[in-house]
């Protein structure tokens, strides 16, 4: 059974190395829709009618800034925490399967599919691929972001059609295969109840869409800025600083999900002018703060490095069992 569905007619969509094609079974005229695989390795499953602008999502400038900033390791503690929690959840899932009354072999057990929604250029996604799932769908509405992720995945040999084998054991590589998709979070091209877990790192929270694609016991990991996140930076940029209300979305998830735990992580950062410029570019502060404020802060940092604290909160939830 196909993991994907056609974004145009919701018919089963079969993946292939060159062109994905639906079978048209749910289309009134049984039309089969094709979707070409780009040379970088991603597939665009975002129909024009689902776009709210010509180029939705993050711009190339924002993506480049985020790549430089994240690759410098400034948010490494958050990446480490997220992957640690994913390993714990997946290990728990494996132990439950192993304790079943009937023996479960690897061949008979279901593949573990994970969705990283709003994946961006893939800083967190590439690390997630090492945590134990079989399939990792990396989805974002920004085409430039998915292009970057696909290129990195291709170089690492992690794209779904590469299926790297270990040269000695001939076993499938331990890292998950990655499907980079340009798509809308509100209209996920995924079969209902086919995803074991979803990660949303500073990305949209869509309870109905998440509930639709998650399995009955599926997991949801959400990362948000915590109270005090980048406080000194925001104080320099804004006259009135409003604190992050990180858990305001929890009541929206309550009908479908149960909160299993909350984790906090923080890191002190000493930033150069270049680092600070990238940080501002990759955040909403790039357009919310007055240009005069941004330039004044950058000018001050030219002579003295800037210190601020990144604070994050990570929520771990599980789909609530139906009564």
């Amino acid at each position: 059974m196909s993991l994907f569905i056609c974004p145009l007619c919701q018919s089963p969509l079969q993946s292939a190395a060159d062109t994905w094609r639906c079978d048209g079974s749910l289309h009134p005229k049984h039309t089969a829709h094709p979707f070409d695989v780009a040379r970088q390795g991603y597939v665009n499953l975002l129909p024009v009618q689902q776009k709210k602008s010509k180029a939705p999502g993050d711009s190339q400038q924002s993506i480049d800034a985020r790549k430089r900033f994240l690759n410098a390791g400034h948010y490494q503690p958050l990446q480490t925490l997220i992957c640690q929690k994913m390993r714990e959840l997946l290990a728990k899932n494996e132990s439950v399967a192993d304790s079943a009354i009937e023996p479960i072999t690897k061949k008979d057990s279901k593949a573990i599919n994970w969705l990283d929604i709003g994946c961006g250029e893939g800083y967190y996604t590439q690390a997630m691929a090492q945590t134990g799932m079989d399939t990792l769908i990396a989805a974002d509405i920004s085409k430039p972001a998915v292009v970057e992720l696909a290129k990195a995945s291709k170089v690492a040999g992690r794209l779904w059609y590469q299926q790297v084998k270990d040269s000695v054991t001939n076993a499938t590589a331990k890292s998950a295969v990655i499907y980079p998709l340009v798509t809308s979070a509100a209209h996920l091209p995924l079969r209902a109840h086919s995803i074991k877990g979803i990660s949303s790192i500073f990305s949209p929270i869509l309870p109905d869409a998440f509930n639709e694609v998650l399995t009955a016991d599926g997991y949801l990991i959400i990362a948000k800025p915590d109270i005090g996140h980048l406080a000194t930076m925001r104080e320099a940029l804004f006259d009135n600083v409003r604190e992050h209300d990180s858990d305001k979305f929890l009541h929206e998830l309550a009908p479908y999900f149960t909160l299993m735990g909350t984790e906090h992580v923080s890191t002190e950062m000493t930033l150069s002018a270049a680092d600070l410029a990238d940080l501002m570019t990759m955040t909403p502060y790039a357009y919310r703060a007055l240009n005069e404020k941004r330039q004044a802060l950058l000018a001050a940092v030219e002579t003295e490095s800037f210190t601020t604290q990144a604070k994050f909160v990570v929520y771990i939830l599980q789909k609530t069992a139906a009564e």
Side-chain angles (χ1 to χ4, degrees):
M1 187 179 297
S2 176
L3 175 60
F4 304 98
I5 60 173
C6 177
L8 296 173
C9 68
Q10 287 70 60
S11 300
L13 178 64
Q14 298 296 333
S15 60
D18 51 0
T19 302
W20 292 22
R21 194 179 305 274
C22 78
D23 63 13
S25 58
L26 298 180
H27 190 275
K29 297 181 179 180
H30 296 282
T31 302
H33 300 106
F35 302 90
D36 291 337
V37 177
R39 59 181 175 81
Q40 296 93 339
Y42 71 92
V43 183
N44 193 333
L45 298 180
L46 181 65
V48 174
Q49 55 267 38
Q50 292 180 12
K51 291 184 178 181
K52 294 183 179 180
S53 64
K54 186 177 181 180
D58 291 338
S59 66
Q60 187 66 56
Q61 181 184 21
S62 175
I63 293 160
D64 290 342
R66 190 164 59 231
K67 278 182 61 179
R68 290 190 296 267
F69 187 86
L70 295 179
N71 288 341
H74 296 300
Y75 283 5
Q76 179 71 48
L78 175 61
Q79 183 196 66
T80 300
L81 175 62
I82 291 169
C83 290
Q84 174 192 332
K85 292 303 166 184
M86 289 179 68
R87 287 191 184 93
E88 290 173 1
L89 292 176
L90 295 173
K92 177 182 177 182
N93 178 74
E94 186 175 329
S95 65
V96 170
D98 289 343
S99 64
I101 296 176
E102 294 294 331
I104 296 177
T105 65
K106 183 66 178 177
K107 181 179 179 181
D108 296 329
S109 61
K110 291 184 178 180
I112 298 175
N113 306 315
W114 194 281
L115 168 65
D116 186 24
I117 195 71
C119 60
E121 78 301 326
Y123 172 74
Y124 301 99
T125 314
Q126 299 296 345
M128 289 176 187
Q130 311 298 313
T131 60
M133 78 281 290
D134 299 290
T135 301
L136 180 53
I137 298 102
D140 202 292
I141 201 169
S142 168
K143 179 179 173 181
V146 177
V147 167
E148 295 292 336
L149 184 148
K151 290 192 294 186
S153 301
K154 191 174 184 178
V155 169
R158 293 177 182 156
L159 290 179
W160 80 95
Y161 60 76
Q162 292 175 306
Q163 297 287 320
V164 177
K165 300 286 184 178
D166 185 275
S167 59
V168 177
T169 64
N170 199 38
T172 302
K174 288 185 178 181
S175 61
V177 293
I178 297 177
Y179 290 82
L181 304 180
V182 179
T183 187
S184 165
H187 304 281
L188 293 168
L190 298 170
R191 175 168 49 84
H193 314 307
S194 61
I195 302 298
K196 184 65 180 181
I198 296 175
S199 48
S200 175
I201 316 301
F202 316 125
S203 295
I205 307 299
L206 301 168
D208 292 324
F210 293 172
N211 178 61
E212 175 67 20
V213 299
L214 278 173
T215 59
D217 58 349
Y219 299 110
L220 177 57
I221 293 181
I222 296 172
K224 293 285 187 183
D226 205 352
I227 295 173
H229 178 60
L230 305 179
T232 56
M233 175 176 156
R234 290 185 292 126
E235 288 166 1
L237 292 175
F238 302 101
D239 294 329
N240 297 306
V241 178
R242 300 171 63 181
E243 272 302 347
H244 294 284
D245 187 7
S246 303
D247 59 0
K248 63 182 180 182
F249 61 88
L250 288 177
H251 74 280
E252 300 174 4
L253 292 168
Y256 306 119
F257 298 93
T258 300
L259 183 64
M260 298 172 63
T262 304
E263 300 284 343
H264 299 266
V265 62
S266 62
T267 179
E268 194 83 15
M269 301 185 300
T270 300
L271 306 176
S272 66
D275 290 333
L276 186 58
D278 283 340
L279 180 56
M280 283 193 282
T281 301
M282 65 184 251
T283 65
Y285 311 144
Y287 56 86
R288 289 180 183 170
L290 294 174
N291 184 57
E292 294 81 2
K293 292 270 190 179
R294 295 198 305 270
Q295 295 306 317
L297 178 56
L298 290 173
V301 180
E302 287 289 352
T303 57
E304 185 177 354
S305 58
F306 183 78
T307 300
T308 192
Q309 194 171 34
K311 294 186 174 184
F312 309 102
V313 56
V314 177
Y315 303 90
I316 300 95
L317 303 99
Q318 186 169 26
K319 197 168 174 179
T320 304
E323 296 183 358

